[in-house]
Amino acid sequence: MPLQTDGIVVSNRRIRSLYFMLRIYCPPIANQIKPGQFVMLKVSDDTSPLLRRPFSVYKSYSLSHPEKRKRGYLFILYKKVGKGTQKMASLSKGQKVNLIGPLGNGFALSPLPSSANCILIGGGVGIVSLYPLAEALKGRKLFVLIGGKTRNDILGVEDFRKLNSNIFMATEDGSLGVHGTVIDLFVSQTRKFKRNEENYIYACGPVPMLRALAATIKSKKFICEVSLEARMGCGFGACWGCVVRTKHPKTPYERVCQEGPVFRMDDIIWE
Ligand SMILES: Cc1cc2nc3c(=O)[nH]c(=O)nc-3n(C[C@H](O)[C@H](O)[C@H](O)COP(=O)(O)OP(=O)(O)OC[C@H]3O[C@@H](n4cnc5c(N)ncnc54)[C@H](O)[C@@H]3O)c2cc1C
Ligand code: FES
């Protein structure tokens, strides 16, 4: 059940160029959040910006985590892009922040055959919601494809490496990995995934990236879940400001914050 609660900022440091890692002590949310769910964060005490901002949780440690000193913490990896994230970047140690969460459905995490290939595709900050999923899938055949505009936008590599995943990178300016988009990278790697294997794709990133992925996956050999980034008003299903068009006649519009942010790729109308 989502709850509204305060957390305490433990640290908030720049990790690179416009990217920051915010660490919050918030046991009630850290204890129950699942891969792919998100929080709505009140980024400042004043009324500007008025609306909370949605963020995936990069790492979280429940109250039963074996390492006692980590329990109750959650980490938000964010990019400074506008007014709200600008304010976030000035949050300092000891400050109180208000959060609503966990929100959204998260990834399905249905039992997978042991031979399944799990292919995680993240563009920019889209990689954030895929990291807890990779942790949950640890021990399986994991392929992580990370894309960004430049090498500065390639996030999480060291953490994914610790999970023994196969990592591939692409940058649009060619400064790291393959020169092109993460979808170009995916296309160049598809021969790795054989027809007689079960291939599960989990993707998160800007809508044009996901649309390109949808156009690329023509055969049925991939089962694909996508986590959508939409502008959000409330974050908990009340304003209908975040809808996406679906192929379901009974529910032609679904809310990214409530029915999503994770959807089966086949269920979405992408054009
Ligand atoms: C479910 C979900 C999870 C998210 N997780 C993360 C995360 O882990 N890390 C992270 O850095 N960001 C994440 N985002 C995006 C983040 O919410 C926005 O970057 C943030 O709200 C921008 O606030 P702002 O006031 O700084 O920017 P604004 O001043 O509101 O906007 C600045 C620019 O960013 C664009 N923008 C703002 N919000 C979005 C959005 N939701 N989708 C696409 N473009 C947007 C605007 O169009 C504008 O060009 C997530 C979004 C969603 C919906
Ligand atoms: S943001 Fe209000 S319904 Fe989704």
Short mmCIF file of all heavy atoms in Angstrom, two decimals, residues 14-47:
data_model
loop_
_atom_site.label_atom_id
_atom_site.label_comp_id
_atom_site.label_asym_id
_atom_site.label_seq_id
_atom_site.Cartn_x
_atom_site.Cartn_y
_atom_site.Cartn_z
N ARG A 14 26.87 14.70 -6.28
CA ARG A 14 26.98 14.65 -7.74
C ARG A 14 27.85 13.45 -8.10
O ARG A 14 28.93 13.29 -7.55
CB ARG A 14 27.64 15.93 -8.24
CG ARG A 14 27.75 16.02 -9.76
CD ARG A 14 28.77 17.08 -10.13
NE ARG A 14 28.37 18.40 -9.69
CZ ARG A 14 27.65 19.26 -10.41
NH1 ARG A 14 27.28 18.93 -11.62
NH2 ARG A 14 27.34 20.44 -9.93
N ILE A 15 27.35 12.59 -9.00
CA ILE A 15 28.21 11.47 -9.39
C ILE A 15 28.93 11.78 -10.69
O ILE A 15 30.01 11.27 -10.93
CB ILE A 15 27.45 10.12 -9.47
CG1 ILE A 15 26.19 10.20 -10.32
CG2 ILE A 15 27.07 9.62 -8.08
CD1 ILE A 15 25.54 8.84 -10.56
N ARG A 16 28.33 12.62 -11.51
CA ARG A 16 28.97 12.98 -12.78
C ARG A 16 28.11 14.04 -13.49
O ARG A 16 26.88 13.94 -13.45
CB ARG A 16 29.02 11.73 -13.66
CG ARG A 16 29.71 11.89 -14.97
CD ARG A 16 29.44 10.70 -15.83
NE ARG A 16 29.72 9.45 -15.16
CZ ARG A 16 29.18 8.29 -15.55
NH1 ARG A 16 28.33 8.25 -16.56
NH2 ARG A 16 29.47 7.18 -14.92
N SER A 17 28.71 14.98 -14.11
CA SER A 17 28.04 16.07 -14.85
C SER A 17 26.68 16.43 -14.23
O SER A 17 26.62 16.98 -13.15
CB SER A 17 27.94 15.74 -16.34
OG SER A 17 27.18 14.58 -16.57
N LEU A 18 25.58 16.06 -14.87
CA LEU A 18 24.26 16.47 -14.36
C LEU A 18 23.60 15.39 -13.49
O LEU A 18 22.43 15.51 -13.12
CB LEU A 18 23.32 16.78 -15.53
CG LEU A 18 23.73 17.97 -16.40
CD1 LEU A 18 22.85 18.05 -17.64
CD2 LEU A 18 23.61 19.27 -15.60
N TYR A 19 24.32 14.34 -13.15
CA TYR A 19 23.73 13.21 -12.43
C TYR A 19 24.09 13.23 -10.94
O TYR A 19 25.25 13.48 -10.59
CB TYR A 19 24.19 11.89 -13.05
CG TYR A 19 23.68 11.74 -14.46
CD1 TYR A 19 24.48 12.11 -15.54
CD2 TYR A 19 22.40 11.29 -14.71
CE1 TYR A 19 24.00 12.02 -16.84
CE2 TYR A 19 21.91 11.19 -16.00
CZ TYR A 19 22.71 11.55 -17.07
OH TYR A 19 22.23 11.46 -18.34
N PHE A 20 23.09 12.92 -10.12
CA PHE A 20 23.25 12.95 -8.66
C PHE A 20 22.70 11.66 -8.06
O PHE A 20 21.80 11.04 -8.63
CB PHE A 20 22.46 14.12 -8.06
CG PHE A 20 23.01 15.47 -8.40
CD1 PHE A 20 22.86 16.00 -9.68
CD2 PHE A 20 23.66 16.23 -7.45
CE1 PHE A 20 23.37 17.24 -10.00
CE2 PHE A 20 24.17 17.48 -7.75
CZ PHE A 20 24.02 17.98 -9.04
N MET A 21 23.23 11.32 -6.89
CA MET A 21 22.70 10.18 -6.13
C MET A 21 22.19 10.71 -4.79
O MET A 21 22.97 11.25 -4.01
CB MET A 21 23.80 9.14 -5.90
CG MET A 21 23.30 7.85 -5.28
SD MET A 21 22.34 6.85 -6.42
CE MET A 21 23.66 6.02 -7.31
N LEU A 22 20.89 10.55 -4.58
CA LEU A 22 20.27 11.00 -3.33
C LEU A 22 19.99 9.76 -2.47
O LEU A 22 19.32 8.83 -2.92
CB LEU A 22 18.96 11.72 -3.66
CG LEU A 22 18.06 12.14 -2.51
CD1 LEU A 22 18.75 13.18 -1.62
CD2 LEU A 22 16.75 12.74 -3.06
N ARG A 23 20.52 9.81 -1.25
CA ARG A 23 20.32 8.67 -0.34
C ARG A 23 19.41 9.14 0.79
O ARG A 23 19.71 10.16 1.44
CB ARG A 23 21.68 8.23 0.19
CG ARG A 23 21.64 7.01 1.03
CD ARG A 23 23.08 6.66 1.38
NE ARG A 23 23.17 5.63 2.37
CZ ARG A 23 24.19 5.48 3.19
NH1 ARG A 23 25.21 6.30 3.14
NH2 ARG A 23 24.20 4.51 4.07
N ILE A 24 18.32 8.41 0.98
CA ILE A 24 17.31 8.82 1.96
C ILE A 24 17.09 7.68 2.95
O ILE A 24 17.00 6.50 2.54
CB ILE A 24 15.96 9.15 1.26
CG1 ILE A 24 16.15 10.24 0.21
CG2 ILE A 24 14.91 9.59 2.26
CD1 ILE A 24 14.90 10.51 -0.62
N TYR A 25 16.98 8.04 4.23
CA TYR A 25 16.59 7.04 5.22
C TYR A 25 15.08 7.07 5.34
O TYR A 25 14.50 8.08 5.78
CB TYR A 25 17.26 7.34 6.57
CG TYR A 25 16.97 6.29 7.60
CD1 TYR A 25 17.44 4.99 7.44
CD2 TYR A 25 16.22 6.58 8.74
CE1 TYR A 25 17.17 4.01 8.38
CE2 TYR A 25 15.94 5.60 9.68
CZ TYR A 25 16.42 4.31 9.49
OH TYR A 25 16.15 3.33 10.41
N CYS A 26 14.43 6.04 4.88
CA CYS A 26 12.96 6.01 4.86
C CYS A 26 12.48 4.55 4.99
O CYS A 26 12.04 3.95 4.00
CB CYS A 26 12.45 6.65 3.57
SG CYS A 26 10.67 6.82 3.55
N PRO A 27 12.60 3.98 6.18
CA PRO A 27 12.29 2.54 6.35
C PRO A 27 10.93 2.11 5.82
O PRO A 27 10.84 1.05 5.17
CB PRO A 27 12.42 2.32 7.86
CG PRO A 27 13.30 3.41 8.33
CD PRO A 27 13.05 4.59 7.44
N PRO A 28 9.84 2.88 6.01
CA PRO A 28 8.54 2.34 5.58
C PRO A 28 8.47 2.08 4.08
O PRO A 28 7.85 1.11 3.65
CB PRO A 28 7.54 3.45 5.96
CG PRO A 28 8.24 4.32 6.95
CD PRO A 28 9.70 4.21 6.65
N ILE A 29 9.12 2.93 3.28
CA ILE A 29 9.08 2.72 1.83
C ILE A 29 10.18 1.74 1.40
O ILE A 29 9.94 0.82 0.61
CB ILE A 29 9.15 4.06 1.06
CG1 ILE A 29 7.88 4.87 1.35
CG2 ILE A 29 9.30 3.81 -0.44
CD1 ILE A 29 7.76 6.19 0.66
N ALA A 30 11.36 1.89 1.98
CA ALA A 30 12.47 0.98 1.62
C ALA A 30 12.08 -0.47 1.90
O ALA A 30 12.53 -1.39 1.22
CB ALA A 30 13.72 1.35 2.41
N ASN A 31 11.23 -0.66 2.87
CA ASN A 31 10.86 -2.00 3.29
C ASN A 31 9.92 -2.70 2.32
O ASN A 31 9.83 -3.92 2.32
CB ASN A 31 10.20 -1.92 4.67
CG ASN A 31 10.27 -3.25 5.38
OD1 ASN A 31 11.25 -3.97 5.25
ND2 ASN A 31 9.22 -3.55 6.12
N GLN A 32 9.20 -1.94 1.50
CA GLN A 32 8.20 -2.63 0.68
C GLN A 32 8.28 -2.35 -0.82
O GLN A 32 7.54 -2.96 -1.59
CB GLN A 32 6.78 -2.30 1.19
CG GLN A 32 6.50 -0.84 1.41
CD GLN A 32 5.00 -0.59 1.61
OE1 GLN A 32 4.19 -1.18 0.93
NE2 GLN A 32 4.65 0.29 2.54
N ILE A 33 9.19 -1.46 -1.24
CA ILE A 33 9.20 -1.12 -2.68
C ILE A 33 9.74 -2.29 -3.51
O ILE A 33 10.65 -3.00 -3.09
CB ILE A 33 9.99 0.19 -2.93
CG1 ILE A 33 9.69 0.73 -4.32
CG2 ILE A 33 11.49 0.02 -2.67
CD1 ILE A 33 9.86 2.22 -4.47
N LYS A 34 9.14 -2.49 -4.71
CA LYS A 34 9.51 -3.61 -5.58
C LYS A 34 10.13 -3.07 -6.88
O LYS A 34 9.87 -1.92 -7.25
CB LYS A 34 8.26 -4.42 -5.93
CG LYS A 34 7.52 -4.91 -4.71
CD LYS A 34 6.97 -6.30 -4.93
CE LYS A 34 6.57 -6.95 -3.63
NZ LYS A 34 5.69 -6.16 -2.77
N PRO A 35 10.90 -3.89 -7.58
CA PRO A 35 11.54 -3.42 -8.82
C PRO A 35 10.52 -2.83 -9.79
O PRO A 35 9.51 -3.46 -10.09
CB PRO A 35 12.17 -4.69 -9.40
CG PRO A 35 12.41 -5.57 -8.21
CD PRO A 35 11.28 -5.28 -7.25
N GLY A 36 10.80 -1.61 -10.25
CA GLY A 36 9.93 -0.95 -11.23
C GLY A 36 8.90 -0.02 -10.61
O GLY A 36 8.23 0.73 -11.32
N GLN A 37 8.74 -0.07 -9.30
CA GLN A 37 7.83 0.90 -8.66
C GLN A 37 8.57 2.23 -8.46
O GLN A 37 9.80 2.29 -8.61
CB GLN A 37 7.36 0.36 -7.30
CG GLN A 37 6.40 -0.81 -7.43
CD GLN A 37 5.80 -1.19 -6.10
OE1 GLN A 37 6.52 -1.50 -5.15
NE2 GLN A 37 4.47 -1.17 -6.01
N PHE A 38 7.82 3.26 -8.12
CA PHE A 38 8.45 4.58 -7.99
C PHE A 38 7.89 5.33 -6.79
O PHE A 38 6.94 4.87 -6.14
CB PHE A 38 8.28 5.39 -9.29
CG PHE A 38 6.85 5.75 -9.63
CD1 PHE A 38 6.34 7.00 -9.31
CD2 PHE A 38 6.01 4.83 -10.25
CE1 PHE A 38 5.03 7.33 -9.61
CE2 PHE A 38 4.69 5.15 -10.55
CZ PHE A 38 4.19 6.39 -10.23
N VAL A 39 8.51 6.49 -6.53
CA VAL A 39 8.01 7.36 -5.45
C VAL A 39 7.73 8.74 -6.05
O VAL A 39 8.30 9.12 -7.07
CB VAL A 39 9.04 7.51 -4.30
CG1 VAL A 39 9.27 6.18 -3.60
CG2 VAL A 39 10.38 8.09 -4.79
N MET A 40 6.82 9.47 -5.41
CA MET A 40 6.61 10.89 -5.74
C MET A 40 7.28 11.68 -4.63
O MET A 40 6.92 11.54 -3.45
CB MET A 40 5.12 11.23 -5.81
CG MET A 40 4.37 10.63 -6.98
SD MET A 40 4.88 11.20 -8.61
CE MET A 40 4.09 12.78 -8.77
N LEU A 41 8.24 12.50 -5.00
CA LEU A 41 9.06 13.21 -4.02
C LEU A 41 8.72 14.69 -4.01
O LEU A 41 8.64 15.32 -5.07
CB LEU A 41 10.53 13.01 -4.40
CG LEU A 41 11.57 13.65 -3.50
CD1 LEU A 41 11.67 12.89 -2.18
CD2 LEU A 41 12.94 13.64 -4.19
N LYS A 42 8.52 15.22 -2.82
CA LYS A 42 8.35 16.67 -2.69
C LYS A 42 9.76 17.23 -2.61
O LYS A 42 10.48 16.98 -1.64
CB LYS A 42 7.53 16.99 -1.44
CG LYS A 42 7.19 18.43 -1.32
CD LYS A 42 5.92 18.64 -0.52
CE LYS A 42 5.57 20.12 -0.35
NZ LYS A 42 6.21 21.07 -1.22
N VAL A 43 10.14 17.97 -3.65
CA VAL A 43 11.55 18.31 -3.78
C VAL A 43 11.95 19.55 -2.98
O VAL A 43 13.14 19.83 -2.82
CB VAL A 43 11.98 18.48 -5.26
CG1 VAL A 43 11.87 17.16 -5.99
CG2 VAL A 43 11.16 19.55 -5.95
N SER A 44 10.93 20.33 -2.50
CA SER A 44 11.31 21.49 -1.69
C SER A 44 10.20 21.79 -0.69
O SER A 44 9.05 21.36 -0.86
CB SER A 44 11.57 22.71 -2.57
OG SER A 44 10.35 23.28 -2.96
N ASP A 45 10.54 22.55 0.33
CA ASP A 45 9.57 22.88 1.39
C ASP A 45 8.58 23.94 0.94
O ASP A 45 7.48 24.04 1.46
CB ASP A 45 10.30 23.41 2.63
CG ASP A 45 10.98 22.27 3.38
OD1 ASP A 45 10.54 21.12 3.19
OD2 ASP A 45 11.94 22.55 4.12
N ASP A 46 8.97 24.76 -0.04
CA ASP A 46 8.07 25.84 -0.47
C ASP A 46 7.13 25.34 -1.58
O ASP A 46 7.09 24.15 -1.90
CB ASP A 46 8.85 27.10 -0.87
CG ASP A 46 9.87 26.79 -1.94
OD1 ASP A 46 9.52 26.04 -2.86
OD2 ASP A 46 11.01 27.29 -1.86
N THR A 47 6.39 26.26 -2.18
CA THR A 47 5.36 25.85 -3.15
C THR A 47 5.90 25.81 -4.58
O THR A 47 5.14 25.62 -5.52
CB THR A 47 4.17 26.83 -3.11
OG1 THR A 47 4.69 28.15 -3.24
CG2 THR A 47 3.38 26.68 -1.82
#
